[in-house]
Each structure stands twice: as structure tokens, then as C-alpha cells.
Amino acid sequence: MRRTLIAGNWKMNGSLQSITELMDGIKAGLNEVDNADMAVCPPAVYLMKVKGLIGEANIGLGSQNICDQASGAYTGELGPSMLKEAGCKYAIIGHSERRSLYGESDELVAKRHAMAVESGITPILCIGETLEERESGVTEAVVARQLDAVIDTQGIEAIGKCVIAYEPVWAIGTGKTATPEQAQAVHAFIRAKLSALSTHIADNVQILYGGSMNAANAKDLLSQPDIDGGLIGGASLKAEDFLAIGKSA
Ligand code: PGA
């Protein structure tokens, strides 16, 4: 039985004051979330602060990236042991904003994935097609290529140690959600592809949906058989909305 995971990707949002209020709000309503694990991925500069705010509450902490190297001369990167010290359980990798705005390739994302797994941090591996790719009918080929970058270099076992987030790029931050049927179709494709290599891993890996998931559409998306949670951007910045998504699981 796959557990539902609702992870908030705060992106580059927040201030010391707003994240304190946000975490207070999330903690206050957490006891009403029965069927989902909750996690938050703040900007790196706030990780340790948020760890403190989480305290004993059952909320996972994640970073928004992780370096592909252990330590050294990598200006601006986040070392895996540092993220562990900060209390991170997860690291988002390959988010479409990293891929499209900062030029991260499939190969680099795969290396970041390897470093996270090696360090005992669970990568939240983001994959997904652009609008142009969807319209030209290559959605499956794109997500397969993005998965293969990891599988070909690290084996299917590396997928067994991650969480996958299918995020159609055209749905991120646009208010245009994939319909539950559109999302389910790609999630089922991903699981079937993995199943050809390992039914055990395919059956157990959590596949989250991301892209304008909110309190109003979460229930329909989360009730699809192959959707195991959400990676939430905008709606994770309001405690009430984030909790409502958790409660709809
Ligand atoms: P959104 O972002 O929920 O604001 O669309 C999701 C994401 O980018 O992970």
C-alpha cells in the first residue's frame, strides 16, 4: 500500500516572519490530516529555521536541490552532508524551473539523484513535458527519457529509493491543472515502464502529481489509482490550502 505524500515546494518565496506564520498554521491543523504524510521544501537559507519550527511535529523537511558532488569548490551548491545536518529527508531534483531557467540537463539531474541516494536523502525526481512536447505527442517519450537518464546510469534500484513527481510544465504556476484523466494516464505509463524492469519497485514507488494542484482539485487528482500525492507550489504557501490538500487524501 503506497502512502500519500503531500510536499510543499515553496520555491523562492517567504521571509522569516511569513515562514514562521506558515509553519504555525500547518502545525495547528496537522492533526486533521489522517491519510497523508506532509513535507515542506523551503529555500535553503531557511532550512534550519524550519527544522526548528517543525520540532516534534510529523512534517518532513526537504531541500529544493542537492549538489552532485560531496563537497569542495562548487560555489552556490548545497552539499549532501550539509542537507543531512540541516535535517533534510528529501531533496527536490530536476524541477522544470531548474531545467529550463538554469539549464540543468538530464545527465546532471541523474548525477544529483545518485548523490542524494548515496547520502541517504530521498530525491523527489521531477519529470514532465512542456506544452509544445504535449501538443506534438511526445509526452511519454519525454518522461521516459528523463527516467532513463537515472535508470541507465544507476539501475532501476535507484528509482526504488526516490519519489517521482510528474509535473507537466504547462500546468506549473499557470492555474491550468492536468485533468485527473490526463495525469492518471501519464502516471500509469510511468508505472508500466518501471514495471518492465521491476514490478516490486513499480508497485511501491510513490508518484506525485504537480502543477496547480489546489484545495479544489486535489481530491479528484488524488483519487486516481496511480497518483500517490502532490508536489504543491503556490497552494503550499497558505497553511489552510496546504492542509486542505492533505485532508483530501
Ligand atoms: P504550482 O507548482 O503548484 O504552483 O503549479 C508546482 C511545482 O512547481 O512543484
Side-chain angles (χ1 to χ4, degrees):
M1 194 52 197
R2 295 184 299 268
R3 216 38 218 151
T4 298
L5 173 64
I6 304 296
N9 173 11
W10 294 358
K11 308 193 180 185
M12 198 176 73
N13 292 295
S15 64
L16 276 177
Q17 187 182 336
S18 75
I19 64 170
T20 304
E21 287 165 11
L22 177 55
M23 289 309 299
D24 284 349
I26 295 172
K27 284 198 299 182
L30 201 59
N31 60 348
E32 290 164 42
V33 178
D34 296 325
N35 295 316
D37 292 331
M38 305 294 277
V40 292
C41 304
V45 71
Y46 295 136
L47 281 169
M48 293 181 72
K49 171 74 181 174
V50 172
K51 184 68 190 164
L53 294 169
I54 290 173
E56 297 301 308
N58 187 17
I59 301 171
L61 183 68
S63 62
Q64 296 177 15
N65 213 340
I66 182 169
C67 190
D68 62 318
Q69 305 292 327
S71 66
Y74 302 99
T75 302
E77 289 287 324
L78 300 166
S81 60
M82 300 167 191
L83 295 176
K84 292 272 288 199
E85 273 193 325
C88 287
K89 176 171 183 195
Y90 301 102
I92 296 173
I93 59 167
H95 190 278
S96 67
E97 287 149 18
R98 299 299 319 168
R99 293 178 189 264
S100 68
L101 302 175
Y102 298 96
E104 292 197 14
S105 63
D106 290 342
E107 290 68 33
L108 176 58
V109 173
K111 285 195 199 163
R112 293 190 190 277
H113 191 284
M115 185 51 76
V117 168
E118 194 180 303
S119 319
I121 291 177
T122 303
I124 300 180
L125 171 63
C126 300
I127 58 175
E129 81 289 0
T130 62
L131 183 58
E132 202 186 354
E133 288 164 338
R134 172 160 285 261
E135 286 174 347
S136 48
V138 295
T139 297
E140 292 185 354
V142 169
V143 299
R145 188 199 74 221
Q146 292 169 331
L147 285 170
D148 283 339
V150 172
I151 297 169
D152 292 348
T153 50
Q154 296 148 57
I156 184 69
E157 293 71 28
I159 297 292
K161 297 193 173 117
C162 81
V163 172
I164 295 171
Y166 167 61
E167 301 203 298
V169 179
W170 48 272
I172 294 177
T174 57
K176 260 197 241 167
T177 325
T179 64
E181 295 72 26
Q182 280 174 323
Q184 166 58 25
V186 180
H187 283 234
F189 166 78
I190 293 167
R191 214 178 291 284
K193 174 181 164 56
L194 301 177
S195 185
L197 298 169
S198 164
T199 49
H200 177 76
I201 288 172
D203 288 346
N204 287 288
V205 69
Q206 289 169 305
I207 309 178
L208 315 184
Y209 167 80
S212 300
M213 193 189 273
N214 57 39
N217 60 30
K219 200 172 177 57
D220 285 344
L221 285 159
L222 295 173
S223 62
Q224 298 297 312
D226 287 298
I227 299 184
D228 308 316
L231 184 56
I232 321 296
S236 73
L237 297 171
K238 280 199 197 136
E240 202 188 341
D241 292 357
F242 189 54
L243 288 165
I245 295 171
K247 282 187 252 180
S248 58

